[in-house]
Amino acid sequence: MSEQPAQPQQPEPAGDAVQPQAEQPAPPEPDQATPAAEEPATETAEQPEAETAPQQPEPEAAPEQPEPEAAPEQPKPGKAEAPRPTPGAPTPAMFAARKAAVPRPPQGGDAAPAAPTPAPPSAEPGPPSDSVRHGRVDDDGTVHVRLADGTERAVGSYPGASAEEALAYFARKYDELRAAADLLAQRLAHTDVSAHDARQSLAHLKEQIGEAHVVGDLAALESTVAGLEESVAVRSAAEAAERAEAKARATTEREALVVEAETLAATEPAKVQWKQASARVRDLLEEWKAHQRSGPRLDKDVENALWKRFSHARTAFDKMRKTWFAQLDEEHGQAKSVKTKLVAEAEALSTSTDWGATAGAFKRLMQEWKRAGRAARSDDDALWARFKAAQDAFFDAKDQVVAAEEAEYVENLKVKEQLLEEAEALPVDAEHLDSTKAALRRIQDRWEAAGKVPRADVRRVEGRLRAVEQKVRDVEDKQWQRTDPELAARAQSMVDQLERGVQGLESDLAAAQAAGDEKKVARLTSELETKRTWLESARGGLS
């Protein structure tokens, strides 16, 4: 008999039901030993954990699974064993729910793996896998798999089992690999598995396939693996593009932080809202740290350049803030000194009774107060309280005096309103001009003696008296014009000149009419009418 591959390990039940993890006794050695130089390919579907030695299932904990296959019997020396059912081909859902098996302590040396343990006799054998058609069994029990080029290679043997059971066992191992490949394909198609995890799973699957002793369509499995490699490459490219996009977006966001910090650092100090701006600079630093903690990694040179700009902007802002507040402290000190002097002057004036001059002085002090600028808030508030108290003390005293005067002015107003009634009742004409002027002078004297009136009534009453005075002046002017000799002489001279002009125009008009010059007649007629009008007006003024 030719040398055979190592005896396969006990196949795991389809569905990967978790068995009790108590220590189980090792199964008896098979009748036919296999060389230790070769180990059976017992890889299962792709999983994150390593393959472990199978445990014997407890008879009372048979897993529920669809149509289990009958497992090959493993005879014991001197005892007849009931046949164990062979598990059916695993599905992707089975491998998704599979848990790691608890490894059994080694039995020492290079002992052959444990033979399959019989299942309860009540289990029904399942249908054989379609993968068996890609293999055959020699007369000596060696199982061969047919390759795509028509050649064959030995994959192992199953001592003590029939040819059908041996083929079924190695076909199930192929189905496990195929199921693992299909499961990875489903994960790539329907989940967001990362390219890194997919590459690791694919590498593990290829490692299992490379070491596997199985019976099945190896060409189809290789084609599936090639498709998986292509899908993983596509996923890797997509993730690389996403990373590049995320990096570009993160670079833009970091750049925005830097630009905002630089803008704050370049703002004119007098226009900066320092409380809000300082808080914003601190927030920008926290946002930068958050980007470093949870954002995509930028290229080192890009991040270093941005950080250099960001750090420089923060340093410039802090320096500007310190300089500004140092200058502000100096200005506050100067303003405090000036305002202290103004307060002392205001307090000295607060008891003055020279109302007009002192009111003007307080107006000047207020203008100087505004020009002095602001001191520190606490100093400024205290100084302003003292200044305002002095100012209020003066103006309150002045208002009391003014209130007393206003009461007197109201009585004066009543007197002046009576005088206005008398003045407005005077006859204003040429006949009574002299008597009216004498009465008006007496009213004016009494007007001055009456005193001041309330400020709101000054313009009204003064306007009414000025109106009476203007009427008297108008009548007086007209009378003077009529009796002025020089004015009469000028008026007579004008009348004489106009009369001569009218006579000359009359002579010219008669000559034009005699000559039949209608155009000249029309012109002279118009001029003559104008001169006659002027002459009548001049004669009226003369009379």
Side-chain angles (χ1 to χ4, degrees):
M1 180 181 298
S2 62
E3 184 178 32
Q4 301 177 358
Q7 177 177 323
Q9 296 179 354
Q10 173 187 352
E12 296 180 8
D16 295 333
V18 178
Q19 302 297 330
Q21 299 184 2
E23 189 72 27
Q24 300 293 334
E29 296 286 338
D31 290 340
Q32 182 178 357
T34 56
E38 293 188 40
E39 294 182 3
T42 57
E43 266 55 335
T44 60
E46 181 275 324
Q47 300 183 59
E49 59 268 22
E51 187 83 13
T52 60
Q55 295 181 350
Q56 287 186 347
E58 292 286 340
E60 64 275 15
E64 295 182 4
Q65 48 194 344
E67 299 181 17
E69 298 180 356
E73 293 183 356
Q74 177 62 41
K76 287 187 177 181
K79 292 177 67 177
E81 293 289 329
R84 187 170 80 84
T86 302
T91 65
M94 296 176 183
F95 284 104
R98 181 173 180 178
K99 296 182 178 179
V102 178
R104 189 207 312 233
Q107 300 299 320
D110 294 326
T117 302
S122 59
E124 293 295 333
S129 170
D130 185 59
S131 302
V132 299
R133 61 188 181 87
H134 294 277
R136 68 178 184 82
V137 182
D138 280 346
D139 294 339
D140 58 3
T142 301
V143 179
H144 296 264
V145 63
R146 284 190 293 275
L147 305 179
D149 58 1
T151 61
E152 294 181 346
R153 67 176 173 86
V155 296
S157 63
Y158 205 128
S162 65
E164 290 77 6
E165 291 172 339
L167 278 175
Y169 171 75
F170 286 100
R172 283 198 307 275
K173 304 307 289 183
Y174 170 85
D175 293 340
E176 289 178 2
L177 294 178
R178 184 57 186 262
D182 292 341
L183 174 61
L184 180 55
Q186 291 295 320
R187 291 175 65 195
L188 286 169
H190 302 293
T191 70
D192 56 352
V193 60
S194 67
H196 176 267
D197 292 344
R199 279 194 301 271
Q200 286 188 330
S201 299
L202 181 59
H204 182 57
L205 177 62
K206 292 169 69 175
E207 182 181 357
Q208 290 178 315
I209 294 174
E211 300 174 356
H213 295 266
V214 297
V215 171
D217 190 352
L218 296 179
L221 184 57
E222 291 175 357
S223 176
T224 300
V225 170
L228 290 174
E229 289 177 336
E230 183 177 352
S231 299
V232 170
V234 171
R235 179 66 57 90
S236 297
E239 288 186 359
E242 291 176 0
R243 285 194 299 272
E245 182 181 355
K247 184 184 293 186
R249 185 167 55 251
T251 303
T252 301
E253 293 171 355
R254 295 273 193 100
E255 176 76 22
L257 298 180
V258 172
V259 170
E260 185 174 355
E262 291 174 337
T263 301
L264 289 173
T267 305
E268 185 178 347
K271 297 181 180 179
V272 175
Q273 299 292 330
W274 288 103
K275 185 176 181 180
Q276 295 86 337
S278 299
R280 183 53 186 156
V281 170
R282 290 193 295 271
D283 292 342
L284 290 175
L285 179 60
E286 293 303 319
E287 291 180 25
W288 182 282
K289 292 178 180 179
H291 274 277
Q292 285 185 318
R293 286 193 300 268
S294 58
R297 275 188 171 275
L298 306 184
D299 294 338
K300 188 173 181 179
D301 56 340
V302 173
E303 183 164 14
N304 288 343
L306 289 174
W307 170 249
K308 185 176 180 180
R309 289 173 55 193
F310 185 71
S311 178
H312 177 74
R314 289 177 60 242
T315 302
F317 179 84
D318 289 340
K319 182 178 179 180
M320 178 177 66
R321 180 173 58 83
K322 292 176 181 178
T323 303
W324 169 259
F325 281 103
Q327 179 182 352
L328 200 61
D329 289 342
E330 182 179 355
E331 293 176 357
H332 285 172
Q334 295 175 354
K336 180 181 178 181
S337 177
V338 172
K339 288 186 174 181
T340 300
K341 295 179 182 178
L342 295 178
V343 168
E345 188 175 351
E347 290 173 342
L349 292 173
S350 62
T351 57
S352 174
T353 56
D354 187 0
W355 310 119
T358 306
F362 268 106
K363 183 177 180 180
R364 173 183 57 79
L365 291 177
M366 178 59 73
Q367 292 172 347
E368 293 180 8
W369 182 280
K370 293 179 180 178
R371 289 194 296 268
R374 289 189 62 86
R377 180 182 294 275
S378 58
D379 296 332
D380 206 69
D381 291 345
L383 289 170
W384 171 249
R386 290 174 58 191
F387 183 86
K388 190 173 187 303
Q391 183 176 251
D392 291 345
F394 168 78
F395 282 103
D396 288 345
K398 180 177 181 293
D399 290 343
Q400 291 176 3
V401 174
V402 170
E405 291 177 348
E406 286 293 324
E408 180 184 351
Y409 293 166
V410 171
E411 296 301 323
N412 296 342
L413 177 63
K414 294 178 181 179
V415 174
K416 288 192 173 183
E417 286 179 340
Q418 292 176 357
L419 293 175
L420 285 173
E421 291 177 359
E422 293 180 17
E424 290 171 347
L426 292 174
V428 183
D429 53 28
E431 183 179 356
H432 302 89
L433 180 61
D434 293 337
S435 60
T436 298
K437 288 171 62 177
L440 183 59
R441 281 194 295 270
R442 290 191 297 272
I443 291 175
Q444 289 172 336
D445 293 339
R446 291 161 60 193
W447 180 278
E448 294 296 330
K452 297 180 180 181
V453 298
R455 185 185 301 272
D457 298 300
V458 170
R459 180 176 295 182
R460 178 176 62 82
V461 295
E462 292 287 345
R464 289 174 62 185
L465 183 61
R466 300 286 89 79
V468 175
E469 293 173 347
Q470 186 63 44
K471 287 181 181 180
V472 173
R473 283 196 296 269
D474 290 344
V475 173
E476 188 177 17
D477 290 344
K478 287 181 180 179
Q479 186 177 12
W480 181 84
Q481 289 176 2
R482 285 196 301 270
T483 59
D484 185 7
E486 185 178 353
L487 183 63
R490 288 199 300 271
Q492 184 62 51
S493 176
M494 177 64 69
V495 170
D496 293 344
Q497 183 179 358
L498 289 173
E499 287 178 347
R500 287 193 298 272
V502 168
Q503 291 174 359
L505 287 172
E506 289 176 347
S507 299
D508 293 340
L509 178 61
Q513 290 175 343
D517 190 349
E518 296 181 356
K519 185 176 181 181
K520 188 174 181 180
V521 169
R523 179 175 60 78
L524 291 173
T525 300
S526 176
E527 291 181 5
L528 182 60
E529 290 177 356
T530 301
K531 287 288 182 69
R532 285 173 177 172
T533 302
W534 291 351
L535 178 60
E536 291 177 1
S537 177
R539 287 173 178 173
L542 183 62
S543 64

